[in-house]
Amino acid sequence: MSAQTLSRPAVAAHGWVQALVTVLAGMVAMGVVAALGLWAAGAADLPDNAFPRVVAATVVTAVGGTVELSGDAGGLAESDAGLTVIPLSVTLVGALVLAAGFLRPLRHRAVAGAGELAGWAARIAVLWLAAVLALALSARQTFSLSLGDLGEDALGELGDLFGLSPEVGFTTDVAATVFVGLLWLAGVLVLALLVSRGAALPGRLLRFQESVRPAAYAMVALLLAYVVLGAVIALVVAATRGHPAETLAVVLLGLPNLVWLALTIGLGATWDGRVDGAFALPMPQLLDQVLRGQDVAELNLGTLAEHDGRVWWLVAVDAVLLLAAAFVMARRSPARIRAWQHGVHMAVALALTVLTICLLARTSAHYGLSVLGIGDLGGDLGGELFLRPQVWTAVGFALLWGLVTGFLGGLLARPLRHRGEVTARAEG
């Protein structure tokens, strides 16, 4: 073995085979989580063997793709439906698996060339593009319904009289899905590089890692801590109050949607929303109570506390977890960074995190059927649900909380040993 061989660092292979394994692992992980969640929600009983295509549609929406709902009820009737929601549990699992596969060849190295990083990311992107395209083309289905199936005898007789046979279905906007899916992948890979302290970067970017990487790591740890806490609460609820299938469906499909919403509300954010018709928010029931029966309801600490005073614990949970995240950020930062600088870093990172939550967790859904121009036939033929944030208020509260907790976290971490401090003293 030559001296040159001994001096070279061990570099994991990252060619097409490794890229294929990474993409397949991400897709399989998302597919399994989506399938289990939909099975728990009862989607396995859908007619026409539609379950695999519904799973594909769920994965498509998880990576930011567009699923379009369609309906046809014959010449005398019209149907209309729309859905905008991201199953963030599926999204989170896919992001974690893809990030792990992407970072694996880059570990334990100080520097990686820009061309090497670009080539490795490009291989993953090409195969990811093919996988998303295949999903988008397979995620389409049409169902035939009977008005009598909706539980109203009069509606069934009306359908028989006019020969109405409603059809509902879904398809994907392939171009939009592929484009947004590639953007989603790019975001995951960039965030993975920002979070991982052990991943190699090009030499020109090393100067930014001291301020960016600790803050990015702290935010990811914060979001994952909320998910873990939410999962524990969900398991307790399932064990004590029953409904394990419904709880499992929520955990596997939309747990981050709920816990990250709680994070922003605990900071002081307000969300506008409405629930009308047969829609029901899976859990907690408190959200449904606040949002149902009003044209536009405000969802915040005040309105929730009117129904259950325990929501004020959200403020305490936010304070504890944010302070812990700030402490972790300060511990992973060089000792020379001052407490006020930690506050600034934390404020920017938390504001960007809350902004991302506001963009990802917004929800809207509606459906309706009209016959002979009559738009409200009663029964379960119409409904609406939406939840959207007051974005800049939420971001403003995040900046304030970040400044305070970042400063305090920096003070708490000051007496402790920081990364690089021992080496610096030894050299001195």
Side-chain angles (χ1 to χ4, degrees):
M1 185 178 294
S2 65
Q4 182 180 4
T5 302
L6 290 173
S7 64
R8 289 178 180 175
V11 179
H14 44 290
W16 286 103
V17 174
Q18 289 74 24
L20 179 61
V21 171
T22 298
V23 171
L24 286 180
M27 282 292 177
V28 169
M30 287 190 288
V32 169
V33 173
L36 290 175
L38 291 169
W39 170 79
D45 298 328
L46 288 171
D48 302 326
N49 296 318
F51 184 67
R53 288 178 284 278
V54 174
V55 172
T58 303
V59 175
V60 164
T61 58
V63 299
T66 301
V67 174
E68 300 174 343
L69 302 182
S70 60
D72 182 17
L76 299 178
E78 295 179 354
S79 61
D80 179 58
L83 176 67
T84 302
V85 63
I86 299 176
L88 290 178
S89 292
V90 182
T91 302
L92 179 61
V93 169
L96 291 175
V97 173
L98 280 170
F102 174 68
L103 292 175
R104 182 175 176 81
L106 306 175
R107 295 178 304 172
H108 312 305
R109 300 170 55 194
V111 180
E116 178 189 352
L117 278 179
W120 173 224
R123 291 183 180 93
I124 294 177
V126 169
L127 297 173
W128 178 259
L129 172 63
V132 171
L133 180 60
L135 279 177
L137 293 175
S138 63
R140 53 192 65 212
Q141 180 72 34
T142 300
F143 305 95
S144 297
L145 301 176
S146 170
L147 291 179
D149 294 336
L150 297 173
E152 297 286 341
D153 293 337
L155 293 175
E157 295 174 0
L158 185 64
D160 294 337
L161 176 63
F162 290 105
L164 301 180
S165 180
E167 292 182 347
V168 296
F170 61 87
T171 185
T172 54
D173 185 335
V174 176
T177 295
V178 169
F179 176 72
V180 177
L182 284 175
L183 289 182
W184 181 88
L185 176 67
V188 169
L189 300 187
V190 170
L191 184 60
L193 284 175
L194 292 179
V195 170
S196 176
R197 188 169 66 187
L201 288 176
R204 294 181 179 180
L205 299 181
L206 291 177
R207 58 179 176 173
F208 298 107
Q209 66 179 350
E210 292 184 351
S211 59
V212 175
R213 275 185 162 173
Y217 178 88
M219 291 301 99
V220 171
L222 174 68
L223 294 179
L224 293 179
Y226 266 91
V227 172
V228 172
L229 180 61
V232 172
I233 294 174
L235 292 176
V236 172
V237 170
T240 57
R241 300 184 182 180
H243 308 292
E246 291 84 347
T247 303
L248 180 62
V250 171
V251 170
L252 293 175
L253 294 176
L255 182 60
N257 300 67
L258 293 173
V259 295
W260 295 345
L261 170 68
L263 164 63
T264 63
I265 291 176
L267 295 177
T270 295
W271 292 65
D272 297 324
R274 181 188 182 194
V275 177
D276 182 48
F279 284 117
L281 297 179
M283 84 175 209
Q285 188 65 23
L286 179 60
L287 298 184
D288 190 90
Q289 294 174 358
V290 174
L291 298 178
R292 189 174 293 276
Q294 301 186 47
D295 289 338
V296 178
E298 289 190 342
L299 189 68
N300 53 37
L301 287 170
T303 57
L304 289 171
E306 293 176 1
H307 294 79
D308 190 339
R310 291 175 296 179
V311 299
W312 290 107
W313 280 102
L314 292 177
V315 179
V317 172
D318 273 8
V320 171
L321 292 183
L322 283 173
L323 188 59
F327 177 80
V328 169
M329 180 191 71
R331 288 279 286 112
R332 294 174 68 91
S333 301
R336 65 177 179 274
I337 297 182
R338 300 176 181 177
W340 69 266
Q341 293 174 305
H342 288 305
V344 173
H345 296 166
M346 184 74 177
V348 174
L350 185 59
L352 292 175
T353 300
V354 168
L355 178 61
T356 302
I357 293 173
C358 289
L359 296 176
L360 295 180
R362 60 178 61 210
T363 301
S364 67
H366 71 275
Y367 66 95
L369 176 68
S370 62
V371 179
L372 296 175
I374 303 173
D376 184 6
L377 297 178
D380 294 332
L381 297 183
E384 180 182 13
L385 178 151
F386 70 84
L387 192 62
R388 55 176 179 256
Q390 296 181 11
V391 176
W392 300 117
T393 302
V395 172
F397 277 115
L399 285 170
L400 180 60
W401 276 83
L403 284 171
V404 174
T405 56
F407 180 79
L408 294 176
L411 292 180
L412 290 174
R414 180 177 295 175
L416 302 177
R417 182 176 297 168
H418 289 250
R419 178 171 64 89
E421 187 175 3
V422 174
T423 302
R425 289 178 178 176
E427 290 176 355

